[in-house]
mmCIF file of all heavy atoms in Angstrom:
data_model
loop_
_atom_site.group_PDB
_atom_site.id
_atom_site.type_symbol
_atom_site.label_atom_id
_atom_site.label_comp_id
_atom_site.label_asym_id
_atom_site.label_seq_id
_atom_site.Cartn_x
_atom_site.Cartn_y
_atom_site.Cartn_z
ATOM 1 N N ALA A 8 -10.713 14.192 6.063
ATOM 2 C CA ALA A 8 -10.658 15.362 5.183
ATOM 3 C C ALA A 8 -10.702 16.653 5.995
ATOM 4 O O ALA A 8 -11.315 16.709 7.061
ATOM 5 C CB ALA A 8 -11.824 15.329 4.199
ATOM 6 N N GLY A 26 -13.856 9.497 -15.841
ATOM 7 C CA GLY A 26 -13.032 8.323 -16.144
ATOM 8 C C GLY A 26 -13.682 7.004 -15.796
ATOM 9 O O GLY A 26 -13.466 6.008 -16.490
ATOM 10 N N GLU A 38 -21.880 15.406 -17.435
ATOM 11 C CA GLU A 38 -21.630 16.840 -17.333
ATOM 12 C C GLU A 38 -22.728 17.548 -16.534
ATOM 13 O O GLU A 38 -22.440 18.449 -15.744
ATOM 14 C CB GLU A 38 -21.447 17.465 -18.717
ATOM 15 C CG GLU A 38 -20.219 16.952 -19.446
ATOM 16 C CD GLU A 38 -18.922 17.035 -18.651
ATOM 17 O OE1 GLU A 38 -18.653 18.070 -18.020
ATOM 18 O OE2 GLU A 38 -18.154 16.039 -18.659
ATOM 19 N N ARG A 90 -30.984 18.176 -0.231
ATOM 20 C CA ARG A 90 -30.358 18.564 1.031
ATOM 21 C C ARG A 90 -31.350 18.508 2.180
ATOM 22 O O ARG A 90 -32.434 19.047 2.125
ATOM 23 C CB ARG A 90 -29.807 19.983 0.946
ATOM 24 C CG ARG A 90 -28.783 20.099 -0.137
ATOM 25 C CD ARG A 90 -27.376 20.361 0.199
ATOM 26 N NE ARG A 90 -26.839 20.091 1.459
ATOM 27 C CZ ARG A 90 -25.831 19.235 1.649
ATOM 28 N NH1 ARG A 90 -25.347 18.541 0.669
ATOM 29 N NH2 ARG A 90 -25.327 19.093 2.821
ATOM 30 N N GLU A 94 -30.255 15.675 11.676
ATOM 31 C CA GLU A 94 -29.499 14.500 12.110
ATOM 32 C C GLU A 94 -30.397 13.274 12.216
ATOM 33 O O GLU A 94 -31.571 13.363 12.563
ATOM 34 C CB GLU A 94 -28.797 14.774 13.441
ATOM 35 C CG GLU A 94 -27.638 15.721 13.289
ATOM 36 C CD GLU A 94 -26.687 15.709 14.470
ATOM 37 O OE1 GLU A 94 -26.616 14.706 15.193
ATOM 38 O OE2 GLU A 94 -26.001 16.730 14.639
ATOM 39 N N TRP A 113 -5.971 5.132 -10.110
ATOM 40 C CA TRP A 113 -5.805 4.469 -8.817
ATOM 41 C C TRP A 113 -6.953 3.514 -8.504
ATOM 42 O O TRP A 113 -7.040 2.972 -7.404
ATOM 43 C CB TRP A 113 -5.663 5.527 -7.709
ATOM 44 C CG TRP A 113 -4.323 6.186 -7.775
ATOM 45 C CD1 TRP A 113 -3.952 7.230 -8.556
ATOM 46 C CD2 TRP A 113 -3.165 5.798 -7.046
ATOM 47 N NE1 TRP A 113 -2.624 7.522 -8.348
ATOM 48 C CE2 TRP A 113 -2.124 6.648 -7.416
ATOM 49 C CE3 TRP A 113 -2.919 4.806 -6.099
ATOM 50 C CZ2 TRP A 113 -0.852 6.556 -6.897
ATOM 51 C CZ3 TRP A 113 -1.646 4.715 -5.564
ATOM 52 C CH2 TRP A 113 -0.626 5.576 -5.976
ATOM 53 N N ARG A 116 -7.393 -0.596 -6.451
ATOM 54 C CA ARG A 116 -6.212 -0.793 -5.606
ATOM 55 C C ARG A 116 -6.582 -0.840 -4.128
ATOM 56 O O ARG A 116 -5.706 -0.683 -3.266
ATOM 57 C CB ARG A 116 -5.193 0.326 -5.839
ATOM 58 C CG ARG A 116 -4.652 0.351 -7.249
ATOM 59 C CD ARG A 116 -3.489 1.286 -7.345
ATOM 60 N NE ARG A 116 -3.128 1.553 -8.718
ATOM 61 C CZ ARG A 116 -2.045 2.202 -9.063
ATOM 62 N NH1 ARG A 116 -1.212 2.655 -8.137
ATOM 63 N NH2 ARG A 116 -1.781 2.422 -10.321
ATOM 64 N N ARG A 120 -12.423 0.492 -0.852
ATOM 65 C CA ARG A 120 -12.670 -0.512 0.192
ATOM 66 C C ARG A 120 -12.140 -0.024 1.551
ATOM 67 O O ARG A 120 -12.810 -0.143 2.568
ATOM 68 C CB ARG A 120 -12.031 -1.840 -0.177
ATOM 69 C CG ARG A 120 -12.259 -2.934 0.859
ATOM 70 C CD ARG A 120 -11.529 -4.214 0.464
ATOM 71 N NE ARG A 120 -12.028 -4.761 -0.769
ATOM 72 C CZ ARG A 120 -12.921 -5.747 -0.840
ATOM 73 N NH1 ARG A 120 -13.363 -6.294 0.246
ATOM 74 N NH2 ARG A 120 -13.322 -6.188 -2.012
ATOM 75 N N ALA A 141 -26.942 5.673 -2.027
ATOM 76 C CA ALA A 141 -27.422 5.768 -3.413
ATOM 77 C C ALA A 141 -26.205 5.518 -4.302
ATOM 78 O O ALA A 141 -25.366 6.386 -4.449
ATOM 79 C CB ALA A 141 -28.041 7.123 -3.699
ATOM 80 N N VAL A 147 -22.478 -0.224 -8.014
ATOM 81 C CA VAL A 147 -23.340 -1.310 -7.517
ATOM 82 C C VAL A 147 -22.559 -2.605 -7.289
ATOM 83 O O VAL A 147 -22.655 -3.197 -6.207
ATOM 84 C CB VAL A 147 -24.546 -1.512 -8.448
ATOM 85 C CG1 VAL A 147 -25.319 -2.782 -8.089
ATOM 86 C CG2 VAL A 147 -25.472 -0.302 -8.378
ATOM 87 N N GLU A 162 -34.455 7.422 -10.508
ATOM 88 C CA GLU A 162 -33.971 8.411 -11.460
ATOM 89 C C GLU A 162 -33.833 9.757 -10.735
ATOM 90 O O GLU A 162 -34.796 10.260 -10.179
ATOM 91 C CB GLU A 162 -34.934 8.558 -12.637
ATOM 92 C CG GLU A 162 -35.019 7.319 -13.510
ATOM 93 C CD GLU A 162 -33.702 6.972 -14.186
ATOM 94 O OE1 GLU A 162 -32.988 7.889 -14.657
ATOM 95 O OE2 GLU A 162 -33.383 5.765 -14.233
ATOM 96 N N LEU A 171 -30.340 10.752 -13.891
ATOM 97 C CA LEU A 171 -29.227 9.845 -13.615
ATOM 98 C C LEU A 171 -29.775 8.677 -12.804
ATOM 99 O O LEU A 171 -30.382 8.887 -11.758
ATOM 100 C CB LEU A 171 -28.151 10.588 -12.809
ATOM 101 C CG LEU A 171 -26.822 9.919 -12.655
ATOM 102 C CD1 LEU A 171 -26.026 10.055 -13.959
ATOM 103 C CD2 LEU A 171 -26.034 10.558 -11.522
#
Side-chain angles (χ1 to χ4, degrees):
E38 295 308 315
R90 301 247 21 120
E94 288 197 24
W113 287 84
R116 297 190 192 189
R120 180 183 297 262
V147 170
E162 294 297 319
L171 192 76

